[in-house]
Amino acid sequence: MPVTYGFGGGDAARVQADLDVTSFRTVTGSGATTASDEAIAVDPSAGPVELTLHSAVSAPGGQLEIKRLAGFDVTVRAAPGELIDADAQRVLTATWESLILRSDGVRWLVF
């Protein structure tokens, strides 16, 4: 069964269907992604948010979409010892900016 969080009034189901994912959630604070995450909307309206990605090594072929809503910056960090493309982190600074990430079994690649 799909997991949905946030976006009241049925919006979560609409966004989830648009993304064609089974796991969608909204976060408002710092934390870590999990292997079951497919799409995360980040609401940084209360302050900056930092997300640490789960290991790309343990998720070959896995895909994750992260979208920044309006507010403060969102920093997306690779797991310790891993990279996002060639960087340890990416910072989303623009409203509605997003990352589509896919694991190649070694690092997260940005698409």
Side-chain angles (χ1 to χ4, degrees), residues 1-7 10-26 36 38-41 65:
M1 173 155 198
V3 178
T4 59
Y5 301 90
F7 289 121
D11 287 339
R14 181 187 52 77
V15 170
Q16 182 172 335
D18 289 347
L19 293 173
D20 191 28
V21 297
T22 57
S23 174
F24 172 80
R25 65 184 174 122
T26 301
S36 63
E38 292 180 290
I40 300 174
E65 299 177 43

Side-chain angles (χ1 to χ4, degrees), residues 68-79:
R68 177 193 177 273
L69 307 178
F72 292 86
D73 290 351
V74 174
T75 302
V76 180
R77 297 186 193 286

